[in-house]
Amino acid sequence: MDLHAITAHSALHAKPSGLVLQYGTAGFRTKAEHLDHVMYRMGLLAVLRSKQTKSTIGVMVTASHNPEEDNGVKLVDPLGEMLAPSWEEHATSLANAEEQDLPGVLMDIIVKAAVDLQQDAFVVIGRDTRLSSEKLSQSVIDGVTVLEGQFHDYGLVTTPQLHYMVYCRNTSGQYGEATVEGYYQKLSKAFMELTKQPFCSEEEYRSLKVDCANGIGALKLKEMEHYISQGLSVQLFNDGTKGKLNHLCGADFVKSHQKPPQGIEMKSNERCCSFDGDADRIVYYYLDVDGHFHLIDGDKIATLISRFLKELLLEIGESLNIGVVQTAYANGSSTRYLEEVMKVPVYCTKTGVKHLHHKAQEFDIGVYFEANGHGTVLFSKAAETKIRQLAKELEDEKRKAAAKTLENILDLFNQVADRQVISTTDAERQVVTPPGLQEAISDLVKKHKLSRAFVRPSGTEDIVRVYAEADSQENADSLARAVSLAVFELAGGVGEAPPGF
């Protein structure tokens, strides 16, 4: 380690005299013009942390929901977590050291943390859209390179994206590909799979209006949009083309003021949500038919997620340990509902995501959201392994059932006086007219396992095709003929009734 080079470079990122900062849950935050020395020194610290953990460490340049003139920095630990508490103390000591004391403070950290200086180091860096972020990000790089650390600059990314990159790199790609495209692919695949499940709404197409707080979320959601376009239509507002970052918009504004952000057009019962400046918070809201504003904040999000997970586990017969972690700011009604109605244990910690995160790790499935929309769901290794195994078993069962069903398809046709009497919807899978026919088909389908049936008029002649499948050839035959009889009776069949009745 070249202390002379470190000191020489530090002089280019001089610390303002008398300035004292504290590394907290959100890292360092203050006016951007006071942060150059902090960024350089966090580059140094990231290299030391990387050497000590023998892992990739992340550095995110952002001030989240703070005003545009502010900025900040936070380090990301190997598994995408926030920086360990003991290293928060090192960060504070290093940031506040006077120039002449910097070498001594660095050596003290190296000794206390038992850092092997011969170990390689790798740091990944990201930043938000503030005008000051690019220059401050370069100061981080200066700190990394003077200690001969390797780095990758991801440039403009959301905070969750940088956490994802760190985790991917430290799991040798098992969690996902450490690229922006890999992030979009992983999340969009999970979203599309979820929306295909039976418990999801049967809406043909979902839409969502998104307040991007004039921040990085707008850029990244635009990039991600085509990955999810088959299942979700998004409209972006406060996208940074005009208006200031986090000014009268964003998740913090909506939560604090209990009203919609400026710059978004809302109609009754439309889905709307807001990010914050670095897109690591989200709250949802809507207007009812009377124009009243309803907020689905972090407390309600945590409650909905917990309910969904518990019901899903009951359905598959698993008894994994679910816990919800809140702070004193959580609405009491959400706590009571979780404990008394859902029978899910709730724990309260100090304010700050690091405290919530730590407690949530004690459960098989830990759910935590601050009321401001900052939170996540954590799965233990055991829970994740079990869920993956269950998913595989369910997928195998589905494949076997599908293979069996495909062997038992029956396609018949009925002659009718006028094929146009039958109209359909939902890609020809549901009958609209004549009245009563779809209800009859639905009732018949319920009588057989793994069955479905639909009818559609021919495009060229006065016949109606009947498609049916079931768990056996006998049941497929029975279902098809029963549906054929319903068509004959309700859609003006001609000639003799279908045989077998």
Side-chain angles (χ1 to χ4, degrees):
M1 184 172 73
D2 189 343
L3 289 175
H4 177 73
I6 292 170
T7 303
H9 278 78
S10 182
L12 302 175
H13 305 278
K15 175 183 177 294
S17 179
L19 180 65
V20 177
L21 298 172
Q22 177 75 36
Y23 192 105
T25 297
F28 291 112
R29 285 190 195 170
T30 188
K31 299 298 181 187
E33 61 265 27
H34 297 152
L35 282 169
D36 184 39
H37 75 291
V38 174
M39 298 294 174
Y40 170 73
R41 296 177 185 196
M42 290 307 99
L44 299 175
L45 191 71
V47 171
L48 296 182
R49 181 62 171 158
S50 177
K51 289 176 180 289
Q52 194 242 6
T53 59
K54 300 179 182 178
S55 306
T56 296
I57 295 297
V59 180
M60 184 68 195
V61 178
T62 182
S64 189
H65 61 282
N66 280 36
E68 194 170 69
E69 57 270 18
D70 290 355
N71 217 318
V73 61
K74 50 189 172 185
L75 273 63
V76 181
D77 255 3
L79 296 181
E81 318 111 307
M82 284 157 292
L83 187 62
S86 61
W87 279 76
E88 289 184 7
E89 295 176 12
H90 296 326
T92 298
S93 298
L94 193 60
N96 292 326
E98 298 302 330
E99 289 296 326
Q100 68 274 14
D101 299 326
L102 183 60
V105 173
L106 272 175
M107 290 305 301
D108 187 53
I109 293 170
I110 291 166
V111 172
K112 285 182 177 178
V115 177
D116 179 4
L117 293 177
Q118 302 306 310
Q119 178 68 38
D120 291 337
F122 198 89
V123 178
V124 293
I125 302 157
R127 68 178 190 272
D128 68 12
T129 54
R130 295 165 198 270
L131 294 176
S132 59
S133 290
E134 185 171 7
K135 181 177 181 296
L136 292 175
S137 183
Q138 185 58 53
S139 299
V140 174
I141 293 171
D142 290 349
V144 172
T145 55
V146 76
L147 270 183
E148 299 182 348
Q150 300 297 309
F151 72 92
H152 180 86
D153 182 8
Y154 280 101
L156 292 168
V157 289
T158 68
T159 292
Q161 284 177 328
L162 191 73
H163 283 256
Y164 167 87
M165 305 305 175
V166 173
Y167 192 28
C168 288
R169 286 178 176 270
N170 288 319
T171 53
S172 303
Q174 292 181 23
Y175 186 70
E177 181 185 337
T179 63
V180 172
E181 290 74 21
Y183 178 88
Y184 296 148
Q185 289 167 358
K186 184 179 178 71
L187 266 66
S188 61
K189 180 181 178 182
F191 172 76
M192 296 305 293
E193 285 296 321
L194 186 65
T195 58
K196 291 177 185 175
Q197 301 306 311
F199 47 72
C200 279
S201 167
E202 294 182 357
E203 292 175 75
E204 290 187 9
Y205 206 63
R206 299 169 179 82
S207 61
L208 178 66
K209 291 185 171 181
V210 185
D211 158 33
C212 298
N214 291 314
I216 184 66
L219 295 179
K220 296 304 161 181
L221 192 52
K222 284 176 185 176
E223 293 176 359
M224 188 176 182
E225 192 171 356
H226 79 273
Y227 288 87
I228 56 175
S229 58
Q230 291 185 343
L232 180 67
S233 169
V234 294
Q235 291 178 266
L236 275 57
F237 298 85
N238 298 318
D239 62 358
T241 55
K242 57 184 178 180
K244 293 180 64 176
L245 178 70
N246 294 320
H247 181 61
L248 302 178
C249 60
D252 193 60
F253 173 86
V254 174
K255 170 61 181 172
S256 300
H257 293 82
Q258 297 285 308
K259 66 179 184 180
Q262 289 193 6
I264 189 169
E265 304 164 4
M266 291 180 64
K267 298 177 182 177
S268 64
N269 292 325
E270 286 184 327
R271 293 188 185 92
C272 303
C273 70
S274 288
F275 294 148
D276 64 343
D278 62 339
D280 70 346
R281 295 184 183 186
I282 189 168
V283 294
Y284 289 86
Y285 44 92
Y286 64 95
L287 298 177
D288 63 23
V289 292
D290 296 320
H292 297 136
F293 177 78
H294 296 268
L295 176 66
I296 304 175
D297 61 8
D299 296 335
K300 292 178 181 175
I301 292 171
T303 301
L304 290 169
I305 290 174
S306 302
R307 177 174 177 172
F308 166 74
L309 290 171
K310 183 164 184 180
E311 290 176 353
L312 199 58
L313 290 172
L314 286 172
E315 185 178 329
I316 62 177
E318 282 297 325
S319 56
L320 294 173
N321 183 21
I322 299 180
V324 177
V325 188
Q326 298 180 329
T327 71
Y329 288 100
N331 189 288
S333 62
S334 69
T335 308
R336 284 191 295 274
Y337 179 83
L338 285 164
E339 291 182 328
E340 297 173 10
V341 179
M342 293 302 301
K343 307 300 182 185
V344 173
V346 179
Y347 296 85
C348 188
T349 70
K350 294 179 183 178
T351 302
V353 171
K354 65 181 179 184
H355 302 296
L356 293 150
H357 188 93
H358 179 73
K359 186 65 180 179
Q361 289 176 313
E362 297 179 11
F363 304 96
D364 291 329
I365 303 175
V367 181
Y368 71 83
F369 272 84
E370 292 182 299
N372 59 31
H374 195 174
T376 192
V377 181
L378 297 179
F379 291 86
S380 69
K381 287 291 184 184
E384 188 172 345
T385 300
K386 185 174 284 189
I387 289 169
R388 286 182 185 276
Q389 182 60 35
L390 284 168
K392 183 178 183 303
E393 291 173 2
L394 288 171
E395 195 61 35
D396 288 345
E397 288 179 11
K398 283 165 60 180
R399 275 196 292 268
K400 289 176 184 176
K404 183 178 179 183
T405 300
L406 288 174
E407 295 172 357
N408 298 292
I409 295 170
L410 197 62
D411 192 6
L412 302 177
F413 63 86
N414 283 17
Q415 192 153 6
V416 292
D418 180 7
R419 67 180 185 275
Q420 294 184 4
V421 73
I422 291 184
S423 62
T424 63
T425 187
D426 190 19
E428 301 183 317
R429 293 178 296 182
Q430 295 282 314
V431 173
V432 177
T433 59
L437 179 55
Q438 183 56 53
E439 289 79 1
I441 294 171
S442 297
D443 288 342
L444 291 168
V445 166
K446 292 176 184 176
K447 296 179 179 180
H448 301 280
K449 293 181 179 179
L450 299 174
S451 64
R452 69 187 184 99
F454 64 87
V455 302
R456 55 174 290 274
S458 168
T460 57
E461 53 188 321
D462 285 325
I463 62 173
V464 177
R465 295 193 174 276
V466 175
Y467 176 95
E469 63 186 45
D471 60 341
S472 69
Q473 190 66 56
E474 182 182 357
N475 286 338
D477 291 347
S478 175
L479 177 59
R481 286 181 166 78
V483 172
S484 293
L485 182 60
V487 171
F488 183 85
E489 293 176 341
L490 298 172
V494 296
E496 295 184 2
F501 300 95

